[in-house]
Amino acid sequence: MSYDLSRVDYTLCGITYPDTLKILPASDQKLKQRFVVGDKNGVLQCLSIKDEEPVVNFKTLPGKPITCVQLGSNAGNTSDKIFTASGNEVKGYNRKGKVFFAIETSVSETITSMSVIGNDLILCSGRTITFYRDLQELYTYICDDRVLDSTPFSTPNSVRVRLLVIIANKEALIVENGKLLQKIYVPAGPTSITVPPFIGHDVSAIYGSADGSIGVLNYQESELTSKCLVPGAGLGSVTCLGWLNNSSGYHLAVGRHDGSIQLHLINSENLNDKPRLKFTYFSGEPVTSVCGGVITTDEPELLAATFSGRIFGLRSNRFMPGNISSASLDVLANRRSKLEAEVAKLEKQAISEREKYQRNTRSFLSGISVPPLLEIEYELTGATHNNWQEVKLISAVPLDVLFVYCENKLEIQTDSTAVLSICTQQENNSPELLATIRCQAGTRRLWMRIRILDDNETKMEGTRVLIYVLPTGAPRVARLIKLYLSLLPHYSKYESPDIENKQRPCELNILGPFSVAEMTAWLSQILPGELPRPSTTVIFARSHTTLGTFLIYIPEDCCLNAFKLLEDKFKSAYNYHKECEIKDAISSLDLDENVIKNEEEPVLCSDYLRILNSLTKEDNMEETFEVLIDTVEKWYLNWCKISFMGRHSNAHLLKLQHALQNCNISEIEECLTFKTQTDEN
Amino acid sequence: MQVSSVQPVFKLELNHKVTPGIVTIAKYDGTHYCLTASAGYDKIIIHHPHGGMSAGRAQRSQAHGEVSELNLSQAVIALEAGPIKPDCARDMLLIGSPTQILAYDVHNNSDIFYKEAPDGVNVIIAGHFSKYTDMLVMVGGNSSVSGINCEGEEVFWNVVSGKVISMITFDFDKDGKNELLIGCEDSYIKVLKDDHFIMEIAETGPVSCLSNINEVRFAYGLANGTIGIYEEGIRLWRVKSKQNARNLQWSGENLVCCWANGRIDWRDCTGRVLRRVQLRSDAAAMILADYRTVGIPDIVCVSTKGEVLGFPPILDNVGSNTAKIAPSEEDRLAVTELLNKKQALMIELQHYESNAANTSLDIDRPDSAMPTNTRLQVAVAADTDEGCLQLAVSTNNDTIVRMALVLAEGIFDSGETLARHPHSAQLRSVLYIPLKPPRDVPVDVHIKALVGYPESEQFHIFELTKQLPRFSMYTVVSSSIVKSKVVNYVSFRITERVQRICIWINQNFLLDEEIEINNEETKELHISFMCLRDMSRLDLDFCPDGQVKITTHDIRLAGDLIQSLAVFLNLSDLQVLQIHIYYF
């Protein structure tokens, strides 16, 4: 049976980052709990709710954006010490709002997540994890990719702290004392982790991931394992996790990028049991925090914050109508009328300001109008199958229209709720793309996919895509977002630089009077995603998302070598491709289901039947074969370009294409040796 | 207001694929409804849940016990049913194939008539039209409509400018007799009364569906995804979707729209979506029928895979969620709504606040700055070199127009927008946008322009709406330059002062300067235009004796001009004296 919870709005704050809302533990006298929220304006507020009306316990002055809020914990219990991180600073507040702790750390990037356990402070910023004990830096650990979240576990009979870390290249690590103990790859791509409140000394945590799925990470007997519990089912990526404990048990609360909030009932005896979905709510904008506690009524409720700064509760309907006394009805009506008055006042103020603003446009004395930048966050992922790259965009204000411009040929897809309209080019035969995306009312997040249409020419520079974002209401300003599609969009996955490659890797050595910064600038044109900050030595590795190859350049015989690396993958893709063709052929015959199932007089031979029944089509796989063929062909052409001054014989190319299509390995290898061609030259 | 979903009241599988759009429902025995659909090229399936079919040409289907199959030797293009025999209440099935129509009595297994349709068959409807007392079968072809009686004789026929793709009978002028509403592929809804068209409603795309609502209203859907409602020839509302509307039906007090992708939504009388259902596959059709025989018609949806779902009309105050809302809940919803408003207002105020903070400072062009007295001006001018209208958008200072979007329907080759985004080297404070309305209809163009400095990260949005008059693609040329070579003309006589004609010209053409007649005594007017599309000549001559001569090689334009002039002058009847056409 699923729960029936309804939304109660409490208050507004500024833009919030993930996990910046926390519920304080209940104090002894009072049953009701307070909560703290930190926003982008740098304001930290501690609030309690009385009769659905927010009461401010304390509120700080605006400052640097608060990117992380955490409660201290001691020996497994959460304390009421509040810690906030903004930039490289960490501050501690007690429950009265008094600063008892402030430190400016040495980390170079913004702190994105932190934990406080006893006297230990663990900070994650960029690729580094920094461990402080008693305000002394104990160690730092540098990961292969950005750290997304981390959580500490105390080790039995030891003062050492074990860290479970998830990083952007879809890996989960166990780090202890600055050393890597274990590392595994989690294909779903975890984005945030949370430790169940009921867990003892085990090292286990629930993760939510980029594909929307939920799973569990366990570290037992020096073995880190992951298990998917709930598949993504088309929901957006997980942005935050929380817990709600009520009479029916422990619930995992999941907040997602697409605005959904879900409650899953978790078996506290066995974390690996499949959670039961109890409740789903769509808030319409990305959810940044979810947590459970006793806020208004005696029953625990779920408290959520969104990107734009809405804070609301989701609570059981049992406490809603009948049980409410007439007194609280009055209180509610009172709250409503108070808000109405406030909005009316604001409206009046806005109208007068608007008039003032418009009057300015007619005056001769020109001032300068400098509206603040629209609050928009966006993300461009590396290419996955078929060259598609995803752009996710969230906004604090509802969106009206987006205009996309690109000088090169670009293909674009978007949400099914938005109307995409491709405009005619400004000049005939120009490859440029001009497109508009008209959003439904109230849209605050948008998803689109873009890919460069291949004109079979090796490009020397990346592609710039301009997106103009026009909001629905005031302020009437449009923000320009510049995206850069790199030359090698597939190489988005970070790898550990010291991979043991079975094959001899191809090497490119560049020597010259340039700095690491210059090199990084050059690489940023080529590779997608963020690069490590320039320092004296930068080592990193990337891998191809579909081919599984690492960065490759073309020295002597490289085509053949490279192909040999791929050979197994190519063969399996070929077989799969053939089977798909057969299946298509059979299904296009449109045979009656009864005929197929008729076992007495089989119409299809057993092999065909197996293919028809067993083969489930996956987009990725089917395209892989095409991608492989394209890649090999391109290698061939590029090689010709470099070594034969751009000349290549069409006959040879055709021969190669034919060989590739039919998976004739020996012939392909022969082509890729370039023997005959070199002779001709 | 949240959109709710609904559960169907009945659900069945036909176990046959259904061709989209070729579905009807009929009482072949006079009492029980049978769902009838095309199930592939020449196969018709009849679902008869209320009893067996008398054996005949129809054969029982192997895939479903309550379905009979009927095989024709020709492709099935359209299906319709109606009690066309005057003395019989049973519905007859009308089957349209590419070149003929067959009327078939399913109950008696006999053919009623068989009629060749040389102009093709796109739509068939059965209904009462004009003065004819018997029910007629009306057929929409590629450029005509015709009416056939139950004997298979043609009783009327008329030419239509475009391919007919939808039709309904509707008492448009409320005289007690039905007119025929014709949805054409060339984006017009035409109203045929007796033997002439009394109204042409210009729409922005092929009119793919029409549906009756009540005595004064009808709903329409276009192939570009727009749906809307007309009342007495005036559009009440319209909304646009990415999908195409398959069918529209009025159920209870709601407009139900069935989209091609299998989504069905219920809208209230203002177009707001109340509830929504998604079929498991694409929709083939949606019809209104009392398939459960309970006394009120249900919405019956058929998917292309043969799934049939029935939904009852939404009844007010019967267990609906909205009725049960407690006062406290209402307050909470109001609070949520108020906080929404508060949030939006605070963001707006923040914007003004930071403006005020900055006016005192002398900042040299930060990323999102703009002088406060920037204004945007828009002008439209004919460009004879490019053969188009140039919409010029310009600012009044050194800011530049980074980008301009023009939103209008039906005038662009692709999509609903036209955009101009100049190269960074070509950024100016003025931007030209070429427009080429393909048809002579009035167009509202909405312009969104982004103004700022070349390196800005944020631009100010300026929005303007400009109306292009109906004949904006014709620009005035001095009649003295070249004498018109066009010899084709239409002439007729009107009794109207030339001053009134001037008003009509000023309203319907795009002129640099309005034509003025200073002298009260002036009795004639001669004016020449050039069409920007093909540079052809148009001469209008209004003579003192009331004779009007329209000289153009485009007979359609002449017709449009007469129509527009007649509407303006409120003429109900106009006798054309002469149409003079030379064929070269």
Side-chain angles (χ1 to χ4, degrees):
Chain A
M1 201 198 81
S2 56
Y3 303 149
D4 187 14
L5 308 181
S6 55
R7 170 173 173 158
V8 184
D9 267 74
Y10 295 129
T11 185
L12 298 175
C13 65
I15 305 287
T16 63
Y17 288 104
D19 251 353
T20 45
L21 176 113
K22 291 273 155 43
I23 296 182
L24 297 181
S27 59
D28 305 332
Q29 305 89 8
K30 287 182 205 148
L31 189 67
K32 281 180 190 163
Q33 291 172 270
R34 296 173 176 183
F35 61 91
V36 282
V37 59
D39 62 23
K40 200 185 171 185
N41 303 333
V43 177
L44 177 78
Q45 334 181 33
C46 175
L47 302 158
S48 54
I49 302 293
K50 192 173 176 251
D51 295 329
E52 300 192 8
E53 183 89 39
V55 179
V56 179
N57 294 101
F58 73 84
K59 191 174 183 175
T60 67
L61 291 171
K64 276 203 255 176
I66 295 174
T67 50
C68 189
V69 174
Q70 195 58 264
L71 300 178
S73 74
N74 220 333
N77 298 318
T78 355
S79 72
D80 55 4
K81 302 268 187 295
I82 307 147
F83 293 88
T84 66
S86 18
N88 62 345
E89 287 173 14
V90 179
K91 273 184 185 168
Y93 299 84
N94 68 8
R95 65 181 299 135
K96 300 253 161 60
K98 210 172 140 234
V99 181
F100 67 87
F101 169 86
I103 171 176
E104 197 173 325
T105 66
S106 58
V107 300
S108 55
E109 285 174 80
T110 305
I111 298 164
T112 47
S113 105
M114 71 176 164
S115 5
V116 185
I117 164 168
N119 288 333
D120 298 338
L121 174 68
I122 300 123
L123 303 175
C124 305
S125 63
R127 292 203 296 158
T128 49
I129 300 165
T130 318
F131 192 102
Y132 285 83
R133 175 161 286 173
D134 300 320
L135 300 183
Q136 295 297 310
E137 188 179 315
L138 221 61
Y139 65 81
T140 58
Y141 178 78
I142 298 177
C143 303
D144 294 334
D145 204 345
R146 270 179 309 123
V147 180
L148 298 178
D149 206 352
S150 80
T151 183
F153 295 92
S154 50
T155 40
N157 313 323
S158 162
V159 287
R160 279 186 298 193
V161 174
R162 213 168 251 172
L163 288 175
L164 175 61
V165 183
I166 50 171
I167 54 178
N169 68 354
K170 303 187 176 181
E171 283 176 341
L173 323 172
I174 293 282
V175 177
E176 194 179 301
N177 237 0
K179 286 191 185 65
L180 178 72
L181 291 188
Q182 261 263 285
K183 178 165 92 171
I184 54 160
Y185 179 68
V186 185
T191 49
S192 92
I193 40 177
T194 180
V195 181
F198 48 79
I199 225 143
H201 286 287
D202 293 352
V203 180
S204 340
I206 300 273
Y207 71 84
S209 51
D211 66 357
S213 63
I214 297 161
V216 62
L217 287 165
N218 277 313
Y219 183 67
Q220 270 167 348
E221 287 150 12
S222 308
E223 194 69 50
L224 184 63
T225 52
S226 81
K227 185 187 172 201
C228 177
L229 297 176
V230 182
L235 287 166
S237 63
V238 175
T239 46
C240 52
L241 297 168
W243 293 92
L244 174 71
N245 177 21
N246 65 13
S247 51
S248 8
Y250 283 99
H251 297 83
L252 175 72
V254 183
R256 286 192 168 90
H257 192 272
D258 65 353
S260 64
I261 295 174
Q262 286 189 325
L263 276 178
H264 295 270
L265 184 63
I266 302 276
N267 181 1
S268 54
E269 304 289 311
N270 185 358
L271 211 55
N272 290 323
D273 268 9
K274 197 175 161 57
R276 278 173 290 161
L277 178 65
K278 288 294 190 180
F279 173 73
T280 306
Y281 171 78
F282 278 93
S283 73
E285 56 171 324
V287 181
T288 48
S289 306
V290 278
C291 37
V294 178
I295 304 294
T296 35
T297 53
D298 298 339
E299 183 98 340
E301 66 179 80
L302 192 66
L303 196 64
T306 67
F307 174 70
S308 75
R310 302 296 294 262
I311 295 166
F312 58 89
L314 288 166
R315 64 184 200 198
S316 168
N317 270 334
R318 270 193 294 143
F319 288 89
M320 291 274 183
N323 293 5
I324 265 179
S325 63
S326 57
S328 52
L329 266 181
D330 289 346
V331 168
L332 252 182
N334 194 13
R335 179 168 187 227
R336 181 181 174 176
S337 57
K338 232 161 81 185
L339 249 178
E340 266 166 4
E342 196 184 347
V343 167
K345 203 178 124 201
L346 276 173
E347 239 163 18
K348 225 184 236 168
Q349 206 180 334
I351 288 167
S352 86
E353 289 288 332
R354 209 177 294 152
E355 273 171 7
K356 206 152 85 190
Y357 183 73
Q358 275 159 3
R359 235 188 348 262
N360 275 338
T361 65
R362 288 185 289 272
S363 76
F364 288 103
L365 269 171
S366 167
I368 293 271
S369 162
V370 191
L373 279 186
L374 288 181
E375 296 288 356
I376 286 164
E377 295 208 343
Y378 60 94
E379 191 186 341
L380 174 72
T381 63
T384 50
H385 63 280
N386 238 351
N387 291 340
W388 286 109
Q389 283 186 271
E390 246 180 49
V391 184
K392 277 188 214 160
L393 197 134
I394 51 178
S395 157
V397 287
L399 300 176
D400 177 25
V401 178
L402 273 79
F403 171 71
V404 183
Y405 176 80
C406 179
E407 280 182 5
N408 295 340
K409 245 195 189 129
L410 197 71
E411 206 176 336
I412 184 165
Q413 291 179 346
T414 187
D415 265 304
S416 58
T417 51
V419 180
L420 174 72
S421 162
I422 309 283
C423 313
T424 43
Q425 287 89 4
Q426 301 181 82
E427 281 155 37
N428 285 342
N429 303 323
S430 138
E432 65 189 353
L433 170 98
L434 298 110
T436 57
I437 299 170
R438 195 158 51 85
C439 305
Q440 256 183 3
T443 303
R444 284 168 197 244
R445 62 178 287 280
L446 198 85
W447 157 102
M448 62 178 118
R449 292 211 289 182
I450 44 182
R451 70 168 167 189
I452 300 165
L453 282 183
D454 224 330
D455 43 8
N456 272 326
E457 223 175 88
T458 307
K459 288 201 192 70
M460 288 305 160
E461 51 184 43
T463 307
R464 194 170 286 283
V465 179
L466 304 178
I467 302 175
Y468 295 84
V469 184
L470 285 73
T472 315
R476 300 305 293 148
V477 286
R479 168 112 179 243
L480 167 62
I481 288 171
K482 291 178 186 162
L483 299 178
Y484 194 81
L485 304 186
S486 51
L487 279 176
L488 301 172
H490 283 288
Y491 290 92
S492 56
K493 187 173 171 283
Y494 273 88
E495 293 287 344
S496 166
D498 37 51
I499 321 157
E500 290 166 36
N501 208 338
K502 285 165 221 131
Q503 305 277 340
R504 181 174 63 93
C506 309
E507 277 183 5
L508 162 72
N509 292 311
I510 303 175
L511 294 168
F514 43 73
S515 65
V516 178
E518 280 172 305
M519 203 59 197
T520 310
W522 172 68
L523 283 173
S524 69
Q525 303 251 314
I526 298 171
L527 295 171
E530 283 169 47
L531 288 166
R533 287 207 172 186
S535 58
T536 41
T537 48
V538 178
I539 304 169
F540 68 92
R542 295 272 189 103
S543 74
H544 194 292
T545 43
T546 47
L547 300 183
T549 52
F550 297 88
L551 277 175
I552 292 171
Y553 187 68
I554 309 164
E556 204 74 23
D557 259 358
C558 64
C559 292
L560 189 59
N561 275 345
F563 181 76
K564 281 195 166 146
L565 284 171
L566 276 181
E567 198 175 311
D568 283 345
K569 192 148 189 162
F570 187 79
K571 278 184 190 158
S572 72
Y574 171 77
N575 286 336
Y576 184 83
H577 177 77
K578 273 285 156 212
E579 292 197 349
C580 276
E581 273 182 5
I582 294 172
K583 184 181 177 167
D584 279 347
I586 299 172
S587 4
S588 67
L589 286 175
D590 216 0
L591 290 173
D592 202 317
E593 205 131 310
N594 303 331
V595 181
I596 295 171
K597 291 200 182 114
N598 191 343
E599 281 175 11
E600 286 151 31
E601 301 168 58
V603 180
L604 299 170
C605 73
S606 57
D607 269 357
Y608 280 8
L609 211 55
R610 176 187 61 80
I611 292 169
L612 186 64
N613 293 330
S614 66
L615 206 64
T616 45
K617 273 199 190 178
E618 288 171 51
D619 289 350
N620 293 8
M621 273 303 281
E622 213 178 329
E623 284 151 5
T624 310
F625 185 62
E626 317 268 309
V627 173
L628 284 167
I629 289 186
D630 276 1
T631 315
V632 177
E633 263 175 43
K634 215 176 261 172
W635 286 344
Y636 178 85
L637 287 174
N638 285 347
W639 177 249
C640 290
K641 207 169 183 172
I642 297 167
S643 46
F644 309 128
M645 319 276 278
R647 274 173 294 150
H648 64 263
S649 108
N650 269 330
H652 283 284
L653 182 62
L654 280 175
K655 192 175 157 195
L656 175 68
Q657 278 169 349
H658 190 75
L660 284 168
Q661 287 290 350
N662 295 312
C663 192
N664 189 339
I665 302 288
S666 61
E667 203 157 305
I668 298 169
E669 285 176 2
E670 188 191 319
C671 282
L672 292 176
T673 51
F674 300 96
K675 274 255 170 59
T676 43
Q677 267 190 52
T678 330
D679 295 346
E680 280 167 28
N681 281 289
Chain B
M1 179 77 195
Q2 279 192 341
V3 176
S4 62
S5 185
V6 263
Q7 291 300 314
V9 285
F10 69 84
K11 200 171 186 176
L12 55 99
E13 293 282 349
L14 294 175
N15 294 353
H16 283 87
K17 288 180 181 169
V18 176
T19 315
I22 315 179
V23 177
T24 188
I25 201 156
K27 297 173 178 172
Y28 298 119
D29 61 356
T31 42
H32 299 110
Y33 273 117
C34 294
L35 191 68
T36 309
S38 157
Y41 182 70
D42 61 348
K43 186 159 82 176
I44 295 173
I45 51 166
I46 302 173
H47 179 242
H48 39 84
H50 302 287
M53 295 264 299
S54 55
R57 214 179 304 175
Q59 287 174 353
R60 177 149 297 202
S61 164
Q62 289 187 340
H64 193 295
E66 290 177 344
V67 171
S68 296
E69 291 175 9
L70 199 63
N71 280 299
L72 275 93
S73 50
Q74 279 193 318
V76 179
I77 301 289
L79 281 179
E80 170 70 3
I84 53 165
K85 275 169 103 175
D87 50 351
C88 179
R90 285 186 286 114
D91 284 341
M92 306 298 148
L93 180 62
L94 301 158
I95 304 160
S97 52
T99 54
Q100 57 203 17
I101 298 142
L102 169 68
Y104 173 61
D105 186 340
V106 177
H107 193 69
N108 285 347
N109 183 29
S110 58
D111 289 351
I112 301 169
F113 66 79
Y114 199 66
K115 175 86 184 158
E116 288 291 324
D119 188 42
V121 178
N122 296 317
V123 204
I124 305 177
I125 60 165
H128 290 281
F129 170 64
S130 185
K131 56 187 189 269
Y132 307 101
T133 47
D134 293 344
M135 186 175 255
L136 297 182
V137 177
M138 278 152 290
V139 182
N142 289 330
S143 59
S144 68
V145 284
S146 53
I148 302 163
N149 66 11
C150 66
E151 309 289 319
E153 292 157 353
E154 189 170 279
V155 291
F156 78 89
W157 180 87
N158 215 319
V159 173
V160 183
S161 60
K163 191 172 164 184
V164 178
I165 51 176
S166 56
M167 257 192 320
I168 51 168
T169 55
F170 183 76
D171 188 5
F172 192 81
D173 57 0
K174 295 198 287 293
D175 63 348
K177 278 185 247 158
N178 275 342
E179 279 75 51
L180 194 61
L181 252 59
I182 302 166
C184 301
E185 202 175 37
D186 64 354
S187 312
Y188 283 100
I189 300 171
K190 303 197 171 194
V191 185
L192 180 70
K193 182 182 173 65
D194 300 330
D195 57 353
H196 60 277
F197 290 100
I198 55 168
M199 180 106 169
E200 270 187 6
I201 304 168
E203 265 305 332
T204 55
V207 185
S208 55
C209 49
L210 289 169
S211 170
N212 296 65
I213 291 178
N214 54 23
E215 294 80 41
V216 288
R217 289 183 185 179
F218 69 90
Y220 75 98
L222 306 182
N224 65 14
T226 306
I227 59 166
I229 289 185
Y230 272 101
E231 179 175 297
E232 301 189 3
I234 295 155
R235 188 165 50 214
L236 296 180
W237 57 263
R238 61 171 171 176
V239 286
K240 196 172 174 191
S241 160
K242 250 169 118 163
Q243 285 297 325
N244 289 347
R246 176 75 64 213
N247 285 109
L248 294 163
Q249 295 293 351
W250 188 256
S251 162
E253 283 303 306
N254 306 106
L255 181 70
V256 191
C257 179
C258 172
W259 303 92
N261 67 347
R263 198 181 76 209
I264 296 148
D265 47 35
W266 279 255
R267 289 163 192 273
D268 66 5
C269 53
T270 57
R272 201 179 52 161
V273 177
L274 298 177
R275 58 186 195 182
R276 194 174 277 161
V277 169
Q278 177 71 46
L279 300 183
R280 276 185 295 181
S281 52
D282 290 353
M286 176 182 71
I287 37 193
L288 201 59
D290 181 14
Y291 214 46
R292 294 180 293 160
T293 51
V294 290
I296 40 163
D298 292 325
I299 290 286
V300 180
C301 305
V302 187
S303 80
T304 50
K305 295 214 173 127
E307 188 187 21
V308 183
L309 297 178
F311 299 96
I314 303 180
L315 296 175
D316 286 338
N317 60 47
V318 180
S320 85
N321 290 334
T322 46
K324 267 201 296 198
I325 284 181
S328 61
E329 194 49 22
E330 196 188 310
D331 281 335
R332 282 196 186 95
L333 287 173
V335 165
T336 304
E337 202 44 52
L338 283 167
L339 283 171
N340 274 340
K341 246 188 210 165
K342 184 177 163 187
Q343 197 179 26
L345 286 169
M346 297 222 316
I347 290 170
E348 190 180 349
L349 281 170
Q350 262 171 30
H351 160 73
Y352 298 131
E353 231 168 72
S354 68
N355 256 339
N358 281 315
T359 36
S360 51
L361 299 165
D362 189 27
I363 308 163
D364 35 10
R365 295 183 188 176
D367 285 346
S368 65
M370 183 190 79
T372 47
N373 60 356
T374 306
R375 264 166 303 170
L376 195 74
Q377 289 140 352
V378 172
V380 189
D383 184 338
T384 45
D385 296 336
E386 295 285 327
C388 64
L389 296 171
Q390 291 285 8
L391 190 69
V393 182
S394 88
T395 68
N396 59 339
N397 51 29
D398 64 341
T399 53
I400 52 104
V401 183
R402 175 63 267 204
M403 188 273 283
L405 275 183
V406 179
L407 291 98
E409 275 185 89
I411 69 166
F412 305 126
D413 303 339
S414 65
E416 51 181 19
T417 43
L418 178 73
R420 276 290 173 270
H421 183 274
H423 247 267
S424 46
Q426 294 160 353
L427 287 170
R428 305 273 181 278
S429 61
V430 61
L431 181 66
Y432 293 97
I433 308 159
L435 294 179
K436 280 186 193 175
R439 298 187 295 157
D440 293 329
V441 286
V443 185
D444 272 335
V445 290
H446 306 280
I447 305 150
K448 284 181 199 283
L450 300 189
V451 173
Y453 289 106
E455 295 306 315
S456 296
E457 196 187 342
Q458 193 153 271
F459 297 88
H460 291 249
I461 307 169
F462 284 84
E463 282 156 305
L464 290 162
T465 297
K466 181 103 190 154
Q467 193 174 42
L468 296 182
R470 182 162 185 180
F471 301 104
S472 53
M473 282 301 271
Y474 302 87
T475 183
V476 179
V477 287
S478 162
S479 49
S480 57
I481 301 178
V482 200
K483 197 61 210 145
S484 170
K485 280 192 199 128
V486 181
V487 285
N488 301 338
Y489 67 87
V490 177
S491 74
F492 52 93
R493 206 179 286 277
I494 51 170
T495 49
E496 192 58 67
R497 293 189 317 134
V498 77
Q499 281 78 5
R500 285 256 292 165
I501 307 284
C502 272
I503 299 172
W504 173 73
I505 290 176
N506 289 335
Q507 280 181 4
N508 285 280
F509 288 84
L510 195 66
L511 306 165
D512 292 337
E513 278 172 38
E514 295 211 331
I515 308 173
E516 275 180 56
I517 293 177
N518 300 322
N519 192 347
E520 271 297 307
E521 297 303 301
T522 311
K523 288 229 164 29
E524 57 185 322
L525 176 69
H526 302 278
I527 188 161
S528 303
F529 295 93
M530 187 171 75
C531 175
L532 291 170
R533 293 190 193 104
D534 57 359
M535 302 299 154
S536 65
R537 181 77 176 253
L538 162 71
D539 293 309
L540 301 179
D541 298 286
F542 298 89
C543 298
D545 58 351
Q547 182 167 325
V548 181
K549 186 173 161 194
I550 298 174
T551 314
T552 171
H553 73 91
D554 183 355
I555 192 161
R556 167 150 205 152
L557 170 64
D560 285 346
L561 286 165
I562 295 172
Q563 190 83 32
S564 166
L565 188 62
V567 169
F568 178 78
L569 300 173
N570 220 353
L571 305 174
S572 58
D573 202 24
L574 193 82
Q575 189 63 52
V576 171
L577 292 176
Q578 202 171 6
I579 300 177
H580 197 94
I581 301 171
Y582 277 109
Y583 292 100
F584 297 100

